[in-house]
Amino acid sequence: MRILGIDTSCDDTSAAVVEDGRRMLSNVVSSQNDIHLKFSGIVPELASRKHIEMIWPVVREALDSAGSEISDLDAIAVCKGPGLIGSLLVGCSFAKSLSYASGIPLLGINHLEGHIYSNFLEAESPDFPFLALVVSGGHTSLFNVKGPGIYCEVARTLDDAAGEAYDKVAKLLGVGFPGGPVIDKLSRRGDPTKVNFPRPYLRGKSDFSFSGLKTAVLYHYNKYPDTPVEEIAAGFQASVIDVLVKKTLDEALRLNLKAVVLSGGVSANSELRERILNKASEEGIRVFLPSVELCTDNAAMIAAAGRHHLIAGDIAPMDLSPKAYLPLDKRACEVVEQSYR
Ligand code: KG4
Ligand code: ZN
């Protein structure tokens, strides 16, 4: 089963061909970082214009490097949201046209489901059920994943996503964009105990909150502008990672889940990867991490998630319209919850 995946949810144009939901034959990602760098953030209008320019060359390259023709495909899986609406529209319009012209079935995939499925492209992939931490520029959520397509959100950020906090802190410090990789690198040269930022654990709640931490960094920076950026970066990162690791493992223990699966751009963070592996092994919990290239946005994850939709006959209609806000299906979760009672 060969699926072409397409993701244009944010600022990367990506296309990939994946076989049987697991074997990545190609994964092309055209980054727009150069365009958005001078704004220290993504400019939606510029992002969608660039997607229009890049979508066909990127899809062509993905097919060519997979040694595939359009006629070899069993389905076209496209990210239908959440994301920037102008960007999503480019991928969805392209995928619908290709599906209509070729007669190949169309699959509409939620971006968060795609992130979770990046783990199925690795040599070792998780068995259901598991706890999924999706931690990116737009999301920080924990899902109890009971089976393919059955996601129960058990925690989410009440304000900023962790990646958003990284990007905003990097902007404040003037160290570059996207902020995550820059702060990750700076932190390795700083002492995390020099600047002690609060840990937003929100005791008694599973949810996350990172906006107060971001404000604490701002106040510190305004009050002590001579603090070396490495120390601020290391202090900030220590707080984010402490919270992500503790809350994720606490939730896995509470739900009695033996596997934790990470995904999304922030899961590329070197300290998060190291700390969660160590801490989880003390608790007897197994951790699955996508390779660093598959943590950030890519289309292989969309194609991988497409497999179970195709098997279930969940074909998207030709009037599929993308959504900027699109939670993972709560209804499916409630149905399962009821059947457990
Ligand atoms: O998953 P992704 O590519 O896009 C969204 O779906 O949001 O995630 C992008 C986010 C950005 O906020 C970026 O700063 C963050 O992931 N990120 C990192 C690292 N690499 C990317 N955050 C922390 N450490 C990293 N190494
Ligand atoms: Zn993403």
Side-chain angles (χ1 to χ4, degrees):
M1 181 193 287
R2 266 185 196 198
I3 298 184
L4 170 71
I6 296 176
D7 187 281
T8 60
S9 57
C10 195
D11 61 333
D12 292 322
T13 317
S14 181
V17 178
V18 171
E19 201 161 57
D20 298 329
R22 290 184 177 260
R23 213 157 69 83
M24 203 162 61
L25 303 183
S26 64
N27 189 28
V28 180
V29 181
S30 169
S31 163
Q32 298 183 5
N33 280 353
D34 295 353
I35 296 171
H36 304 287
L37 181 65
K38 59 176 173 290
F39 304 101
S40 298
I42 296 157
V43 182
E45 182 60 26
L46 296 181
S48 47
R49 281 165 194 251
K50 194 67 185 171
H51 283 310
I52 294 173
E53 204 181 308
M54 295 311 295
I55 186 77
W56 179 232
V58 165
V59 168
R60 189 67 265 171
E61 193 185 332
L63 289 168
D64 288 349
S65 42
S68 284
E69 288 303 326
I70 291 171
S71 55
D72 299 331
L73 300 172
D74 295 290
I76 299 163
V78 66
C79 171
K80 62 178 182 179
L84 299 173
I85 194 65
S87 292
L88 288 163
L89 274 165
V90 178
C92 283
S93 307
F94 183 91
K96 284 197 283 186
S97 312
L98 192 59
S99 164
Y100 185 70
S102 63
I104 295 166
L106 180 71
L107 310 168
I109 307 298
N110 185 302
H111 187 74
L112 304 184
E113 178 174 50
H115 271 305
I116 294 170
Y117 269 79
S118 58
N119 284 278
F120 290 87
L121 293 162
E122 300 300 332
E124 291 206 53
S125 57
D127 291 323
F128 299 101
F130 55 79
L131 184 71
L133 170 66
V134 182
V135 61
S136 68
H139 298 88
T140 304
S141 289
L142 288 168
F143 294 97
N144 182 354
V145 183
K146 299 183 176 191
I150 306 165
Y151 309 100
C152 302
E153 192 176 49
V154 290
R156 58 161 56 199
T157 181
L158 302 176
D159 40 60
D160 288 359
E164 188 181 353
Y166 265 100
D167 294 337
K168 287 177 177 166
V169 165
K171 185 172 182 177
L172 167 76
L173 301 177
V175 291
F177 169 85
V182 185
I183 292 194
D184 191 1
K185 210 164 156 197
L186 279 172
S187 298
R188 275 179 243 147
R189 304 205 305 262
D191 178 348
T193 60
K194 285 273 167 63
V195 187
N196 198 14
F197 290 116
R199 269 58 174 161
Y201 286 122
L202 311 188
R203 303 229 181 254
K205 271 191 168 181
S206 321
D207 291 324
F208 299 94
S209 165
F210 295 104
S211 99
L213 171 62
K214 180 191 68 190
T215 310
V217 176
L218 173 70
Y219 285 170
H220 180 93
Y221 187 67
N222 286 344
K223 201 165 170 192
Y224 309 104
D226 296 332
T227 315
V229 283
E230 293 81 4
E231 311 295 9
I232 299 182
F236 163 76
Q237 177 156 295
S239 169
V240 175
I241 305 305
D242 275 354
V243 171
L244 289 174
V245 171
K246 178 165 172 40
K247 294 193 77 101
T248 302
L249 296 181
D250 281 358
E251 202 57 21
L253 292 171
R254 188 181 75 80
L255 294 167
N256 199 21
L257 291 168
K258 298 282 172 245
V260 162
V261 170
L262 268 64
S263 65
V266 181
S267 61
N269 185 273
S270 55
E271 195 177 331
L272 174 60
R273 295 171 83 89
E274 192 183 315
R275 293 263 308 281
I276 199 151
L277 280 168
N278 290 341
K279 201 84 190 116
S281 76
E282 289 168 20
E283 305 286 357
I285 293 172
R286 221 173 142 198
V287 175
F288 292 83
L289 293 163
S291 55
V292 168
E293 312 76 69
L294 291 178
C295 289
T296 44
D297 290 350
N298 66 84
M301 66 187 200
I302 301 295
R307 180 175 172 270
H308 78 87
H309 288 269
L310 184 59
I311 290 170
D314 178 20
I315 308 299
M318 269 301 122
D319 64 355
L320 171 77
S321 59
K323 300 271 184 302
Y325 175 72
L326 187 66
L328 265 180
D329 198 349
K330 277 238 158 130
R331 224 168 10 89
C333 168
E334 279 153 20
V335 171
V336 173
E337 295 274 334
Q338 274 164 16
S339 69
Y340 280 158
R341 280 185 204 134

